[in-house]
């Protein structure tokens, strides 16, 4: 049985947004890059992630101002894994 590895399904280049940038900037970046999430950084260090689900649950449904910084709505429970981990072990 063939395994699918994380490195086989992930994007190679990370799309990032600084934590001080606006929610609207993050949305535009996600649209332009055709991705469902962006990594949020502070001083080039990952501090969170903002996902399409965050836009539904934390922004639109709560009627947040799109000029607020992305740090106000990002998810910050980060988890990591190795590239050679099997897809089933991290899902």
């Amino acid at each position: 049985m063939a395994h699918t590895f994380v490195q086989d399904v992930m994007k190679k280049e990370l799309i990032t947004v600084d934590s001080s940038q606006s929610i609207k900037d993050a949305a535009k970046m996600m649209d332009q890059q055709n991705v469902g999430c962006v990594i949020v950084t502070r001083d080039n260090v990952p501090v969170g992630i903002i996902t399409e689900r965050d836009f539904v649950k934390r922004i639109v449904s709560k009627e947040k101002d799109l000029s607020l910084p992305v740090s106000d709505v990002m998810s910050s429970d980060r988890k990591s894994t190795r590239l050679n981990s099997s897809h089933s072990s991290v899902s």
Side-chain angles (χ1 to χ4, degrees), residues 31-44:
D31 181 45
Q32 291 167 349
Q33 297 294 324
N34 195 32
V35 294
C37 65
V38 291
I39 303 299
V40 180
T41 61
R42 185 174 297 122
D43 298 324
N44 294 318

Side-chain angles (χ1 to χ4, degrees), residues 8 23 28 36 41 43 53 65 71-73 82-83 88 91:
D8 299 328
I23 295 167
K28 285 182 176 183
T41 61
D43 298 324
R53 183 155 178 83
D65 180 348
S71 59
D72 284 7
V73 294
R82 297 186 183 278
L83 291 175
S88 62
S91 56

Side-chain angles (χ1 to χ4, degrees), residues 6 39 46 76-86 89-91:
V6 171
I39 303 299
S76 57
D77 289 351
R78 299 180 329 264
K79 294 183 175 56
S80 61
T81 188
R82 297 186 183 278
L83 291 175
N84 61 352
S85 296
S86 70
S89 71
V90 295
S91 56

Side-chain angles (χ1 to χ4, degrees), residues 22-63:
S22 72
I23 295 167
K24 185 175 184 178
D25 288 342
K28 285 182 176 183
M29 185 177 299
M30 290 168 67
D31 181 45
Q32 291 167 349
Q33 297 294 324
N34 195 32
V35 294
C37 65
V38 291
I39 303 299
V40 180
T41 61
R42 185 174 297 122
D43 298 324
N44 294 318
V45 175
V47 294
I49 189 170
I50 187 161
T51 67
E52 291 172 334
R53 183 155 178 83
D54 291 328
F55 274 92
V56 171
K57 300 291 277 181
R58 298 179 178 184
I59 300 167
V60 177
S61 66
K62 305 286 192 250
E63 299 181 7

